[in-house]
Amino acid sequence: MKLESEHNISDRVGRTKKWVNETVRDFDQEYSVSRRFKSLYDDAKRMAPTWKRQFNSFSSTQLGKATLTLAFVGLLFSGLLWQLLNVFWLLWWVSVPVCDYLSEADGAEAALEQAQQQLQLTRLQASQAV
């Protein structure tokens, strides 16, 4: 509380948040990042079946099998595969407490809502009894 009253932290955070939102909005309007990303996403979604079909036909050939094997061996020896596995492993361990926290928060919200409904029901019953 003392820091808040001396330095007006919440006001500064609010102004910074507003400035960041305006800057991001201006950047997006100037360079159309969200429109381009949406277009790229829609194109990839539309082309995914074609790419999958091409990949399956290529991977069924001898050249495709050799290419995929060499790519896997290259990933294995370059360390990139191990880095990816390490990131996935870390995300897996981080996701457990995050999901637990989110489920507890949802449970607390549901319990609060149920308590409010019970209170309203009790008030309604009390008003009808009078």
Side-chain angles (χ1 to χ4, degrees):
M1 288 304 222
K2 186 176 181 182
L3 284 174
E4 172 62 33
S5 62
E6 288 180 10
H7 299 287
N8 202 11
I9 294 172
S10 62
D11 187 42
R12 288 183 180 187
V13 168
R15 285 185 293 181
T16 304
K17 182 180 174 184
K18 184 179 177 184
W19 175 79
V20 168
N21 285 338
E22 289 174 357
T23 305
V24 168
R25 192 178 317 112
D26 291 343
F27 183 81
D28 185 43
Q29 287 176 352
E30 185 175 342
Y31 296 106
S32 303
V33 175
S34 62
R35 183 182 55 81
R36 290 181 186 188
F37 182 75
K38 185 178 182 329
S39 174
L40 178 67
Y41 176 76
D42 290 341
D43 289 344
K45 192 174 179 181
R46 181 176 45 84
M47 293 297 294
T50 305
W51 293 337
K52 184 178 180 182
R53 200 169 34 255
Q54 289 174 347
F55 176 77
N56 287 338
S57 66
F58 176 70
S59 63
S60 64
T61 64
Q62 289 296 327
L63 179 63
K65 290 177 183 177
T67 302
L68 291 175
T69 302
L70 289 175
F72 178 74
V73 170
L75 284 174
L76 188 68
F77 288 126
S78 72
L80 183 61
L81 178 68
W82 302 113
Q83 289 292 330
L84 289 173
L85 288 175
N86 191 17
V87 167
F88 290 141
W89 183 74
L90 179 66
L91 288 174
W92 181 71
W93 278 103
V94 168
S95 70
V96 171
V98 168
C99 289
D100 189 37
Y101 172 75
L102 292 175
S103 68
E104 285 179 14
D106 287 343
E109 287 177 11
L112 180 62
E113 185 177 319
Q114 185 179 8
Q116 288 175 346
Q117 288 175 354
Q118 185 66 30
L119 180 62
Q120 288 175 354
L121 182 62
T122 306
R123 287 180 181 168
L124 181 65
Q125 289 172 349
S127 67
Q128 288 177 353
V130 172

